[in-house]
Amino acid sequence: MKTPILFSVLLGSLLADELPPTSIVSHDPSFDKLIAKDAEIEVLASGFSWSEGPVWDFSESRLLFSDVPNNVVHSWSEERGPEVYLKPSGFTGVAKHSREPGSNGLAFDSTGRLLTCEHGDRRLSVLTPSGGKMTLADNYQGKRFNSPNDLVVHSSGSIFFTDPPYGLPNQGEGPEREMPENGVYRWDPDGKVTRVIDDLVRPNGVTLSPDEKTLYIAQSHREAPHIISYPVDASLQPGEPNVLFDSSQLTPKLPGLPDGLKVDREGNIWSSGPGGVIVLNPEGKLLGQILTGRRTANLAWGGSDRATLYLTANHDLLRVKTKTAGPTPRHTEKEKT
């Protein structure tokens, strides 16, 4: 795996006690074209245990997001605020499970059905228009997944998803675990599941470049907190990895590790990480940061213009307006679920 030369970011200027609780920090002039220096970071709702996995529902003009410990998917809209959308969201058993039993990553497929990475039930599922969930995948070669965490949908209908052990009891250090790998998988519309990456310690967030030729993985591993890119060939097989960014240069001063990530319409990578959100160009240069004043798990663009960035940050749901926007969605209407 190629590794980058660490990008100097003048860590002295990033000391937490030298910054307000929330702020926009630019490291490159190009960042100012992506977000205003005085952009307001708003708190929309609070009181969640650990908010995660946001996705914008264009047909209903609302955000859906997970509260993983509480086994709930919430919705939030300007008109109605936060509401329970789905409970249980990721664990339907009766026995005590882990401290993270609920859904995590959420996405819509090309027909507008809600896809869910479920920690507790250890599966990739879809919410059907007629009601109830259908399992898309819950095992690889007969062995159950650890706890599917995050996902991204390719225009072909294939789904890439990560499978770290965070949703297992004792973080996978027990008899519940059925395979040692913390893999990255691809589910294809014919139902086939392929393990496409098997050598990461803690794969977490996953997304694709706007042209779908690059797969990005965020690794939430304290010893190697990396954002990694993989070229994707015509068969949707990832190639040689390249470490785009090593966030260990930030973690001594700011809390948090790479987690959820998305790309904007220009192909820049926006990832949760030390201090809040870090923004990289496609070559891995650190352009700037959104410091949220709290541990931040994931993010998603929404709104009719796709230029509002929603952040799931610990107990809170945040938003900030950007000058850029998310890529054009592959659907704007979803079937009623």
Side-chain angles (χ1 to χ4, degrees):
M1 182 184 292
K2 303 174 188 175
T3 55
I5 299 173
L6 292 184
F7 178 67
S8 175
V9 294
L10 301 177
L11 286 178
S13 68
L14 296 178
L15 288 170
D17 58 3
E18 294 177 1
L19 291 166
T22 62
S23 59
I24 308 298
V25 179
S26 176
H27 299 295
D28 188 271
S30 62
F31 188 60
D32 301 333
K33 299 177 182 179
L34 303 178
I35 188 170
K37 293 179 180 179
D38 60 351
E40 180 185 1
I41 304 170
E42 302 175 77
V43 179
L44 300 179
S46 298
F48 313 107
S49 291
W50 180 248
S51 58
E52 253 284 10
V55 64
W56 186 257
D57 179 352
F58 283 90
S59 73
E60 301 290 345
S61 298
R62 64 186 175 185
L63 189 79
L64 301 179
F65 63 99
S66 300
D67 185 344
V68 186
N70 287 325
N71 201 15
V72 177
V73 170
H74 291 279
S75 67
W76 179 91
S77 67
E78 200 74 57
E79 297 76 19
R80 302 175 66 91
E83 298 180 307
V84 172
Y85 175 74
L86 182 66
K87 182 178 177 67
S89 67
F91 181 54
T92 55
V94 295
K96 188 178 186 304
H97 194 61
S98 73
R99 59 186 174 88
E100 296 187 25
S103 62
N104 196 309
L106 307 173
F108 288 108
D109 68 12
S110 60
T111 67
R113 300 180 304 173
L114 182 66
L115 303 167
T116 306
C117 283
E118 299 187 22
H119 274 192
D121 285 346
R122 301 167 69 173
R123 63 175 177 167
L124 177 66
S125 69
V126 59
L127 190 61
T128 66
S130 58
K133 290 183 181 179
M134 180 173 68
T135 299
L136 296 182
D138 60 9
N139 74 91
Y140 176 67
Q141 296 182 347
K143 295 182 179 180
R144 295 187 72 187
F145 296 129
N146 297 320
S147 53
N149 183 281
D150 203 2
L151 73 167
V152 64
V153 183
H154 189 272
S155 60
S156 65
S158 293
I159 302 166
F160 291 96
F161 63 97
T162 57
D163 187 42
Y166 298 123
L168 288 175
N170 303 310
Q171 296 282 289
E173 298 297 325
E176 299 85 1
R177 186 164 187 157
E178 296 187 14
M179 52 187 166
E181 297 85 1
N182 296 317
V184 179
Y185 296 86
R186 190 187 71 241
W187 176 90
D188 294 323
D190 63 2
K192 181 180 179 182
V193 176
T194 304
R195 184 190 288 152
V196 295
I197 300 169
D198 63 3
D199 59 353
L200 296 178
V201 180
R202 288 290 188 272
N204 199 325
V206 56
T207 195
L208 286 161
S209 60
D211 64 5
E212 300 186 322
K213 294 182 179 179
T214 306
L215 181 72
Y216 298 106
I217 303 289
Q219 175 160 254
S220 302
H221 179 42
R222 216 164 276 283
E223 302 302 317
H226 297 158
I227 296 172
I228 308 166
S229 67
Y230 297 80
V232 177
D233 64 21
S235 67
L236 303 188
Q237 179 63 34
E240 181 70 19
N242 175 45
V243 176
L244 276 183
F245 189 75
D246 182 345
S247 75
S248 63
Q249 56 191 300
L250 302 177
T251 49
K253 303 299 181 184
L254 297 170
L257 297 167
D259 193 336
L261 72 171
K262 299 293 188 295
V263 293
D264 63 26
R265 61 191 176 192
E266 288 88 17
N268 300 302
I269 302 105
W270 300 60
S271 173
S272 58
V277 175
I278 57 177
V279 182
L280 314 174
N281 70 10
E283 289 72 46
K285 182 179 182 181
L286 179 64
L287 303 181
Q289 293 170 274
I290 303 172
L291 299 181
T292 63
R294 49 185 63 76
R295 291 182 182 272
T296 301
N298 214 324
L299 61 158
W301 270 281
S304 58
D305 59 358
R306 309 184 311 281
T308 300
L309 191 65
Y310 292 87
L311 310 174
T312 48
N314 203 352
H315 309 305
D316 304 321
L317 174 66
L318 313 178
R319 76 175 171 189
V320 59
K321 290 290 290 183
T322 62
K323 295 180 180 180
T324 186
T328 303
R330 299 187 180 99
H331 73 281
T332 54
E333 285 190 22
K334 75 180 187 68
E335 301 173 35
K336 300 297 182 182
T337 55

